[in-house]
Amino acid sequence: IKFMVKIRKLDSIEKGLDEVVKVLTPEEIQKAIGKGVSYIRKCSDPNPDSDGIKRNIDHKDSVELDKECVRKGIAPPLLTSHQYIIDKEKNNKDSENLSDVSRMLVKFSILEGELNKFIIDATDPEGPDGENINDLEKKKIFESIKKIEDKILKIKLSIDKSK
């Protein structure tokens, strides 16, 4: 039997579920939600099944799957999908022109430079806590990372808009 690859929209929970199946083993999925990988595959299908039913994942199961990914050191795919959906909607209301990807990449480079500086300063042996990162330094680093994540999202949204 030849399977046809189903394309999932970037701004969908189905895309997040598709990523979960790629990064978690069937055993990890079973441990996290008490259901098999076939259940996740059914929920990740963007189309109704042969009975005309579109399967949806329970929210609590999606949270447990994301937690399992985090325990494995992987970014939470369902949270990322959810955030992308919401940010895309927010972007529809924003007046900022996202068509200038080059300009956004320059801003991204500046933000990356700021993050590097915060980390270098925080781990400087002659800094306030030596090579240990204190709470204020962590706060600055996390805020800097959040700005980079926001910029990456804007770049993704801009590219996604240019269909």
Side-chain angles (χ1 to χ4, degrees):
I1 297 174
K2 187 175 182 178
F3 292 100
M4 193 168 145
V5 175
K6 294 188 179 186
I7 305 299
R8 286 142 177 98
K9 292 181 181 178
L10 279 176
D11 58 343
S12 72
I13 298 300
E14 291 83 7
K15 180 66 176 167
L17 289 167
D18 189 47
E19 292 299 315
V20 165
V21 171
K22 291 176 185 174
V23 299
L24 294 180
T25 66
E27 295 78 21
E28 290 167 331
I29 291 170
Q30 182 69 39
K31 183 182 106 185
I33 63 170
K35 296 174 185 144
V37 71
S38 63
Y39 168 75
I40 303 302
R41 286 195 179 104
K42 286 178 187 174
C43 292
S44 78
D45 190 337
N47 303 316
D49 64 17
S50 58
D51 297 327
I53 299 169
K54 167 63 181 103
R55 308 287 176 185
N56 292 305
I57 190 158
D58 288 332
H59 182 68
K60 65 181 180 62
D61 288 342
S62 68
V63 171
E64 291 304 319
L65 289 167
D66 271 351
K67 286 168 54 178
E68 187 65 27
C69 289
V70 169
R71 284 190 283 273
K72 199 170 177 177
I74 298 166
L78 292 157
L79 178 62
T80 302
S81 291
H82 199 125
Q83 186 67 50
Y84 185 79
I85 293 166
I86 298 302
D87 287 338
K88 188 172 180 183
E89 186 63 29
K90 285 179 4 188
N91 182 53
N92 288 337
K93 302 213 178 286
D94 287 350
S95 60
E96 183 180 1
N97 179 4
L98 295 180
S99 63
D100 188 0
V101 175
S102 296
R103 192 180 86 223
M104 284 188 277
L105 288 171
V106 169
K107 287 183 181 179
F108 174 83
S109 295
I110 292 167
L111 292 172
E112 181 191 17
E114 288 176 2
L115 173 61
N116 288 334
K117 183 176 179 348
F118 287 142
I119 292 172
I120 289 168
D121 290 348
T123 57
D124 184 343
E126 296 183 20
D129 287 344
E131 293 181 9
N132 296 323
I133 301 174
N134 65 36
D135 289 340
L136 179 60
E137 292 166 330
K138 283 181 188 177
K139 182 177 185 270
K140 286 181 180 181
I141 290 168
F142 291 146
E143 286 171 354
S144 182
I145 290 170
K146 176 68 174 123
K147 286 179 185 177
I148 288 173
E149 290 171 340
D150 291 345
K151 189 56 64 182
I152 290 170
L153 179 65
K154 286 186 177 188
I155 292 168
K156 284 180 176 178
L157 290 171
S158 178
I159 292 168
D160 192 39
K161 263 188 175 178
S162 66
K163 293 178 187 177

